[in-house]
Amino acid sequence: MNSKILIVDDEEDILTLLEYNLEKAGFKVISADDGPEAIELAKKEKPALIILDIMLPSMEGTEVCKAIKRDDATSHIPIIMLTAKGEEVDRIVGLELGADDYITKPFSPRELVLRVKAVLKRGHGGEENEGTITAGNIRIDLERSVVISNGKPLKLTATEFKLLVELVKAKGKVLSRDALLDNVRGTDYYVTDRTIDTHIRRLREKLGKSAKHIETVRGFGYKFMEDG
């Protein structure tokens, strides 16, 4: 399993803190202090995950995230956005660009390591994620984390993939936002209804015609209808 983590931050103390805690947890750490270097390292090193600060010199983290997610060679790499900003709008912007998680400074190093492990687990799956699920025109290869919709492979983030799996497995059953959040992220992390709604909207956009299978149950959550 790839254990390489790319940290992108221009604050030396943050880099040192993250490097120490991630290496202690068994990860191999590489780092960059600006956007262009981060994009090149992402292409060259193919890390398992990127921790990306929003406030960077010369090129903002949001632009770095956009560039990484736009490139076929790096679009599959999960990203955790790291920033001193705490407003909900900043979290939503990060998610809109394809980030898989979001944590604000100051942060607990232990919590960040747990977030990294959680995102990687979502992306690679566990023993329960073996085999293939087919629903309507959607085929999900759980072992390889690949989704084929109408014959075409989709580029989903780890969170979008996990959401789709949960909805398909519960075919016809309404899943509340709380239930989806618990299954996708666990109960230890701060999230909002808008967070889950943003992920679902992005998932629908990528599914195209197959988005009709995901129905909104107003005031409660979502359900997957195979004949939707």
Side-chain angles (χ1 to χ4, degrees):
M1 177 180 170
N2 183 3
S3 62
K4 196 179 297 180
I5 305 295
L6 170 59
I7 304 172
V8 189
D9 200 304
D10 63 329
E11 296 183 48
E12 189 173 343
D13 56 339
I14 295 293
L15 287 174
T16 301
L17 178 67
L18 290 176
E19 183 174 357
Y20 172 79
N21 284 276
L22 287 167
E23 288 184 344
K24 187 178 177 181
F27 295 102
K28 179 180 179 181
V29 177
I30 53 177
S31 62
D33 58 13
D34 63 36
E37 182 186 10
I39 294 169
E40 287 305 309
L41 279 175
K43 293 178 183 178
K44 180 182 176 181
E45 299 290 341
K46 299 293 191 299
L49 181 142
I50 299 170
I51 297 173
L52 175 62
D53 188 27
I54 285 184
M55 303 300 290
L56 292 170
S58 74
M59 184 180 189
E60 288 196 358
T62 50
E63 292 302 313
V64 177
C65 181
K66 194 183 301 183
I68 288 172
K69 290 299 181 180
R70 198 166 45 212
D71 191 324
D72 289 344
T74 56
S75 62
H76 65 286
I77 303 173
I79 295 175
I80 295 178
M81 302 296 283
L82 183 66
T83 178
K85 295 181 179 179
E87 294 84 358
E88 183 182 11
V89 64
D90 297 309
R91 290 193 293 274
I92 299 303
V93 167
L95 294 172
E96 291 279 354
L97 294 174
D100 294 87
D101 205 350
Y102 189 106
I103 191 168
T104 57
K105 301 175 184 177
F107 57 86
S108 157
R110 181 175 179 273
E111 180 188 2
L112 189 135
V113 170
L114 288 174
R115 296 274 189 109
V116 167
K117 290 180 177 179
V119 170
L120 289 176
K121 184 178 180 181
R122 292 202 302 267
H124 292 284
E127 292 183 2
E128 73 278 11
N129 283 353
E130 295 179 355
T132 301
I133 301 176
T134 301
N137 295 321
I138 300 171
R139 183 170 64 84
I140 306 173
D141 184 329
L142 296 165
E143 188 172 345
R144 295 188 300 139
S145 298
V146 172
V147 175
I148 305 295
S149 177
N150 295 303
K152 296 181 179 180
L154 303 183
K155 297 178 183 177
L156 302 184
T157 65
T159 300
E160 291 161 359
F161 178 81
K162 186 67 174 178
L163 276 173
L164 181 61
V165 169
E166 294 298 327
L167 287 166
V168 171
K169 282 184 174 179
K171 252 183 280 189
K173 178 182 177 182
V174 180
L175 295 179
S176 68
R177 289 177 175 82
D178 287 341
L180 286 168
L181 290 170
D182 287 348
N183 288 333
V184 171
R185 300 190 63 184
T187 57
D188 294 334
Y189 308 131
Y190 176 74
V191 290
T192 67
D193 283 353
R194 275 192 71 188
T195 301
I196 205 71
D197 291 341
T198 298
H199 283 302
I200 291 289
R201 183 175 62 75
R202 287 178 56 83
L203 176 58
R204 280 173 165 158
E205 289 174 355
K206 293 179 181 180
L207 285 172
K209 293 180 180 179
S210 295
K212 64 181 182 180
H213 295 295
I214 300 178
E215 296 184 5
T216 301
V217 180
R218 189 164 184 172
F220 190 72
Y222 300 91
K223 66 178 177 179
F224 186 95
M225 296 298 293
E226 193 158 11
D227 298 321

